[in-house]
Amino acid sequence: MISPLNVRSKIYVRSRIESLAATIKNVGLLHNLIAHDMADGMLGVACGGRRLTAMQLLVSQGVYQPDQPIPVKRVTEELARAASMVENGERKVPL
C-alpha cells in the first residue's frame, strides 16, 4: 500500500503506469521500493508508488503472482518521509 508519508501528490496517468509495467515486465524492477512498517502490520511504500502501482497492474494481468517477492528497502518512518521528500523534490514540512 502507498504510505501516507509519500509526499507525491500527483495522480498517476494510466498510460504511464502501463508503460512502466511493460518495462518492469521486460527487464524487471530496477529500483527497489522504500517502505516502513505501518500500525496495521502492512508495509507502507513511501518511495516507489508508481512502481508499486505498475507491479499491481502486472499482478492483475497474471504476469506476477501476488506472493512473489519484490525488492523492498525497509526503513524507519523518519527516513521514509525524508526519502520521499528527496525522491519527489518536495521542500515542504509534513504535519
Side-chain angles (χ1 to χ4, degrees):
M1 94 179 6
I2 296 176
S3 167
L5 300 180
N6 188 322
V7 300
R8 186 180 180 105
S9 60
K10 292 183 181 181
I11 301 206
Y12 303 137
V13 176
R14 175 85 180 173
S15 62
R16 297 195 68 192
I17 294 298
E18 290 170 346
S19 176
L20 180 56
T23 299
I24 293 170
K25 179 180 176 182
N26 290 324
V27 299
L29 189 63
L30 299 177
H31 299 283
N32 62 321
L33 307 176
I34 306 293
H36 63 92
D37 294 318
M38 298 197 26
D40 61 3
M42 301 288 290
L43 286 178
V45 175
C47 297
R50 280 187 346 107
R51 284 169 272 159
L52 175 62
T53 304
M55 294 295 295
Q56 290 168 331
L57 176 60
L58 292 171
V59 167
S60 75
Q61 295 172 344
V63 175
Y64 280 85
Q65 298 305 309
D67 60 350
Q68 188 169 341
I70 60 170
V72 173
K73 181 172 183 173
R74 198 178 212 161
V75 299
T76 65
E77 285 187 13
E78 293 78 20
L79 186 54
R81 180 181 291 114
S84 181
M85 290 172 64
V86 169
E87 183 173 283
N88 289 290
E90 295 289 334
R91 298 293 178 246
K92 65 179 183 178
V93 176
L95 300 175

